[in-house]
Amino acid sequence: MTRRTLTHRALTRRARLSRTAALALASAALLAGCSTAADGADGASEAADAPASASSSPVRSPGPEPSGRTPGGTLLVADFGADTVTFVDPEKGPVDSVKVGAHPYGLVVGEDGRAWVATAEGVAVVDTDRRERLDLIAYETDDLGPVTGGEYRGGGMGIAIAPDGEHVYVGVNVPGGNGTVETIDTKTRKVTETTDVGRRPFDVDVSRDGREVYATDHDSFDVTVVDARTHDTRRIEVAPYGTEGGLGSWLKPHYAAVRADGKLLFPFEGERLVVLDPKTGKSVIEKMTANTHQHGVTITPDGTLLAVGTGPIDPAQDEGPSLTVRSKDGEEKVIPLKGPHEDVAVSKDGKTAYVTGGFTRDGYWNGITVVDLDSGDTHRLAAGARPLGIAVL
């Protein structure tokens, strides 16, 4: 990976964060440098919950029976703080929820309206029209341990669907070791391949032509490129600040977006955008302006990148939570947010962003911030229990 020379400010940040990392490594609770096992703003605990049933029979939470097709534009969020996904009217709030499995993380919706949800137990398949779970596909990966909660739980994290809809790819975290990407045939709902990747695959993406799968390996500072046909792999380092601090470092890749030209975009700290060419393994670094720790990203059809700022690592020097809206020519608008957030999706017309308040660290809340992308105006909307992943139906 090519790197630009570190600025004096970046070197200061590295030194400061190295001290933070050393303290983090001294704590058994901070195994991977991106969270503490603390209660959220609502007093919700990350204590382990009893595993939900792995039955493939439909499961719904109590509530009104759905009548007709779920309207387009409805939001679907993964409730990491519960065992459900919640359907949210973007104007009125929650309208229904469906039990899917323990501690759902990421989700993706196919063209057929089925949602695939990465839980601690397996991948849930949800019919979003009938609003019921159709299946729960158990993982084939070994050494996941007991079903638990918390950021470091074993099981599914990032998840993506192939452009042709024939396969789903889920990143599976193996506590204390390297993870995997499991390939699921969407017709048979069977795991057809398990591929070794790096540590804690926060995010999974697919190339525009469907030929490659990208696992963003948070704790190993890299992305694993998986050939979708042969399942051969290549690992490419993504570490614009270096890898100092190891598991205790805060400066790791979290989520990626695939640009129209095939390049992968990784935001870091509201300071640096790594633009990686997965074909050559080379990257360039572009300047960002939000100056805040960043997690979820998405990219719109016109090339606008949205990046979620979760808040400062060092409140004395860093800025608060925000949403960065970056045009394809690199101009940025930074919209302040109240409190930490995790992931983001955009309405079909490209005018509104929905930012989940679940967050993988303490300070989370049970809702979504709705952002008018033209005016920058925001308001909060109730939505599930500690929502992380989000999709617009």
Side-chain angles (χ1 to χ4, degrees):
M1 173 188 290
T2 59
R3 298 193 188 103
R4 294 182 181 178
T5 302
L6 292 174
T7 63
H8 175 73
R9 185 178 185 283
L11 287 170
T12 300
R13 174 183 280 267
R14 281 187 57 185
R16 171 166 47 86
L17 293 175
S18 295
R19 292 193 295 270
T20 301
L23 291 173
L25 283 172
S27 170
L30 200 59
L31 297 178
C34 203
S35 78
T36 58
D39 289 350
D42 304 283
S45 173
E46 289 196 71
D49 289 344
S53 170
S55 168
S56 62
S57 60
V59 179
R60 298 185 70 253
S61 63
E65 287 294 327
S67 57
R69 185 176 180 83
T70 298
T74 299
L75 310 177
L76 186 65
V77 298
D79 297 323
F80 194 71
D83 298 343
T84 56
V85 294
T86 295
F87 292 78
V88 182
D89 182 312
E91 299 292 333
K92 301 177 181 178
V95 296
D96 202 0
S97 62
V98 176
K99 290 185 178 180
V100 290
H103 306 292
Y105 190 99
L107 59 82
V108 65
V109 179
E111 292 295 329
D112 60 1
R114 289 184 176 177
W116 304 78
V117 188
T119 82
E121 300 173 89
V123 173
V125 187
V126 176
D127 183 323
T128 61
D129 283 339
R130 293 181 54 83
R131 301 205 286 272
E132 65 181 22
R133 191 183 79 181
L134 304 177
D135 209 346
L136 182 60
I137 305 165
Y139 300 117
E140 298 289 335
T141 301
D142 295 328
D143 302 322
L144 297 185
V147 174
T148 65
E151 183 184 356
Y152 306 111
R153 63 140 178 82
M157 298 189 74
I159 192 167
I161 191 167
D164 61 11
E166 293 185 0
H167 295 92
V168 163
Y169 305 97
V170 57
V172 181
N173 179 46
V174 177
N178 284 349
T180 66
V181 164
E182 296 198 8
T183 301
I184 297 171
D185 184 306
T186 57
K187 291 185 176 66
T188 65
R189 301 183 201 160
K190 302 291 185 184
V191 175
T192 60
E193 192 76 29
T194 299
T195 306
D196 293 336
V197 296
R199 296 177 72 103
R200 274 219 302 161
F202 247 69
D203 193 21
V204 175
D205 296 276
V206 183
S207 63
R208 299 296 179 98
D209 60 12
R211 294 180 179 179
E212 292 183 331
V213 180
Y214 310 114
T216 300
D217 306 321
H218 179 272
D219 287 357
S220 47
F221 296 92
D222 57 30
V223 59
T224 301
V225 181
V226 180
D227 186 301
R229 182 179 60 85
T230 67
H231 303 282
D232 293 337
T233 62
R234 293 179 290 119
R235 301 275 285 278
I236 304 171
E237 185 177 277
V238 186
Y241 294 93
T243 61
E244 185 177 355
L247 293 181
S249 172
W250 294 83
L251 304 176
K252 301 172 183 173
H254 292 84
Y255 297 82
V258 182
R259 205 164 64 182
D261 62 0
K263 302 285 179 62
L264 303 181
L265 308 181
F266 299 89
F268 282 80
E269 306 307 312
E271 292 182 336
R272 296 162 182 241
L273 180 70
V274 176
V275 181
L276 172 67
D277 185 341
K279 291 183 171 55
T280 65
K282 295 187 177 185
S283 64
V284 296
I285 299 173
E286 299 178 1
K287 181 181 178 181
M288 297 188 77
T289 60
N291 187 27
T292 190
H293 193 60
Q294 288 175 315
H295 275 204
V297 297
T298 193
I299 195 164
T300 65
D302 69 359
T304 300
L305 178 72
L306 287 84
V308 179
T310 68
I313 295 173
D314 182 350
Q317 297 192 39
D318 305 331
E319 299 296 331
S322 63
L323 178 68
T324 291
V325 183
R326 182 185 179 93
S327 69
K328 62 182 179 181
D329 61 6
E331 292 187 6
E332 291 188 350
K333 176 168 64 175
V334 179
I335 300 172
L337 300 176
K338 181 182 177 182
H341 292 67
E342 182 66 23
D343 208 355
V344 59
V346 180
S347 61
K348 301 297 185 183
D349 62 10
K351 295 181 179 180
T352 307
Y354 306 102
V355 195
T356 57
F359 194 38
T360 56
R361 294 179 56 219
D362 56 299
Y364 61 86
W365 55 284
N366 296 331
I368 293 169
T369 294
V370 181
V371 182
D372 184 308
L373 293 176
D374 289 331
S375 68
D377 292 340
T378 67
H379 68 271
R380 283 189 165 196
L381 187 69
R386 196 177 185 180
L388 294 186
I390 183 169
V392 180
L393 301 181

